[in-house]
Amino acid sequence: MSHTAIQDRPAPVPPSRKGGLSSRSLPRWAPIGFAIVSIALGVGIGIGAGWESRIQWGLISGLIFVTISYVATSIVENKRQAKDRLATSVVWVCFILAIVPLFSLIWVTVSRGIKVLDTYFLTHSMAGVPGIEPGGGVYHAIIGTLEQVGIATVISVPIGLLTAIYLVEYGKGALAKAVTFFVDVMTGIPSIVAGLFILSIMLIADIQPSGLMGSLALAILMTPVVVRSTEEMLKLVPNELREASLALGVPKYRTITKVVIPTALGGITTGVMLAIARIAGETAPIILLVFGSQLINSNPFEGAQSSLPFYIWDQYKIGSEASYDRAWAAALVLIAFVMILNLVARGIARWKAPKTGR
């Protein structure tokens, strides 16, 4: 046999091992196709079984999607890729199950709250407006929420920040463990307990309801959240930065104020904004301590006030069509308030983030 014939002979293809990587693969559009087929089958099964709940249809579609993805990948590709596809499908299904209720809540709130949400609603109170009649606004509740949440923030942020600095930078021994334990306990305390605590002080000292009393209860709820979020952010600061500063002879307190806190400021701000968003929707302490009011009261230190959560509860309690519309509109305002806080937190976090470029 000549040398040229040997060169022209095609090289033998090695046999593929069972369970090894396969050259075959599903097309990139396969997950979309699986999803369409799964939704169609889920809806068909739900209608055939007489189920009216869309939730049942969605759960069946999710199970079918996971099953089809795993079986098809096992047949076309291999078991290894099928397991990977199974894990990816489960993650996607769980993500959709988590995000659908959120979008549903936002859709319902916007569709029902937009009916009466206008400039008049935002700039007028309920003074002189019967609860069962249309009209009135939410201005007095917005003022109450801003003042009560603002006072609670002024009280809780310094306390929470200094407590977190102590736990991370100085805390050792039994005292630090005790503080950490009580912070963990306070993180899960029900809001009604904080309201009852301040109410007992009011009864003992004969103090009248006011926005300040509600702010004190909100501060109790906000402080442990600030402590925990700030503590985690401070722990993320590399120890090398502290050691470099101390090696240059900088005192520890200046290292904390000039190096540690500026480095973690973005995360600290985000944690504070999340804590504010958490207390902005509390209703029980406001009902106990602020009592609510239909009039505009700009003085949080004297007299009853309202707030957005109290306004929503009060309007929904009335039970008329007009009060329901006002309650949904106030809920939309509260969601917008929380969303603005989150956007501000993101902006500050990006602005104060450490510069990593050269």
Side-chain angles (χ1 to χ4, degrees):
M1 184 180 294
S2 65
H3 181 70
T4 304
I6 295 175
Q7 289 181 341
D8 293 340
R9 181 182 300 174
V13 179
S16 59
R17 292 177 297 177
K18 186 177 181 180
L21 295 176
S22 174
S23 59
R24 296 185 301 170
S25 62
L26 292 169
R28 302 183 66 176
W29 50 264
I32 299 177
F34 295 158
I36 295 174
V37 173
S38 301
I39 293 173
L41 291 176
V43 173
I45 293 174
I47 295 176
W51 297 334
E52 298 181 358
S53 175
R54 268 66 172 178
I55 298 177
Q56 293 175 320
W57 299 1
L59 293 176
I60 294 173
S61 301
L63 292 175
I64 295 175
F65 174 74
V66 172
T67 303
I68 292 177
S69 299
Y70 179 77
V71 173
T73 308
S74 300
I75 295 174
V76 177
E77 299 181 6
N78 54 56
K79 294 290 185 181
R80 186 175 178 180
Q81 293 293 335
K83 292 179 180 178
D84 178 75
R85 181 84 66 175
L86 175 64
T88 304
S89 301
V90 171
V91 170
W92 272 104
V93 170
C94 292
F95 169 74
I96 293 174
L97 290 177
I99 206 70
V100 165
L102 175 62
F103 276 107
S104 176
L105 173 64
I106 294 176
W107 172 258
V108 172
T109 305
V110 172
S111 61
R112 300 198 61 174
I114 203 67
K115 295 180 181 179
V116 298
L117 184 60
D118 52 18
T119 305
Y120 179 87
F121 181 77
L122 296 175
T123 56
H124 287 74
S125 68
M126 292 296 296
V129 180
I132 60 175
E133 297 293 334
V138 75
Y139 180 71
H140 60 301
I142 294 176
I143 291 178
T145 295
L146 292 177
E147 291 181 346
Q148 294 159 24
V149 172
I151 294 174
T153 303
V154 171
I155 295 173
S156 61
V157 169
I159 297 175
L161 181 61
L162 294 175
T163 303
I165 291 174
Y166 166 76
L167 291 176
V168 176
E169 304 295 338
Y170 297 98
K172 293 181 181 179
L175 179 59
K177 293 181 180 179
V179 172
T180 302
F181 173 76
F182 283 110
V183 168
D184 293 337
V185 172
M186 290 179 63
T187 303
I189 188 174
S191 59
I192 190 67
V193 175
L196 289 173
F197 173 73
I198 300 299
L199 180 61
S200 63
I201 297 177
M202 292 173 57
L203 295 176
I204 294 173
D206 193 22
I207 301 175
Q208 297 299 316
S210 64
L212 177 62
M213 297 297 104
S215 299
L216 295 178
L218 296 180
I220 294 175
L221 299 173
M222 183 177 176
T223 299
V225 180
V226 175
V227 173
R228 184 59 63 225
S229 60
T230 304
E231 183 181 0
E232 295 302 323
M233 290 301 104
L234 294 178
K235 288 180 180 178
L236 294 178
V237 178
N239 285 328
E240 289 78 4
L241 294 178
R242 298 180 176 88
E243 295 170 355
S245 178
L246 295 173
L248 294 174
V250 179
K252 188 169 185 177
Y253 78 93
R254 289 187 63 85
T255 299
I256 295 172
T257 56
K258 298 297 183 181
V259 177
V260 177
I261 293 179
T263 303
L265 186 59
I268 293 173
T269 305
T270 302
V272 171
M273 292 298 177
L274 293 177
I276 295 175
R278 192 246 174 175
I279 66 171
E282 293 293 346
T283 309
I286 305 302
I287 296 175
L288 288 175
L289 308 173
V290 182
F291 275 26
S293 175
Q294 305 297 326
L295 306 177
I296 299 174
N297 180 12
S298 302
N299 184 5
F301 303 101
E302 183 180 0
Q305 268 192 328
S306 185
S307 70
L308 286 172
F310 182 89
Y311 181 89
I312 296 169
W313 172 81
D314 185 55
Q315 293 299 315
Y316 191 82
K317 182 183 64 175
I318 294 174
S320 67
E321 187 66 26
S323 65
Y324 285 156
D325 291 340
R326 288 192 294 264
W328 283 107
L332 183 57
V333 173
L334 183 58
I335 290 177
F337 176 71
V338 174
M339 186 179 298
I340 291 173
L341 287 178
N342 282 274
L343 292 176
V344 171
R346 288 180 178 272
I348 295 176
R350 179 170 295 185
W351 175 42
K352 292 295 184 179
K355 303 299 185 293
T356 57
R358 293 183 178 180

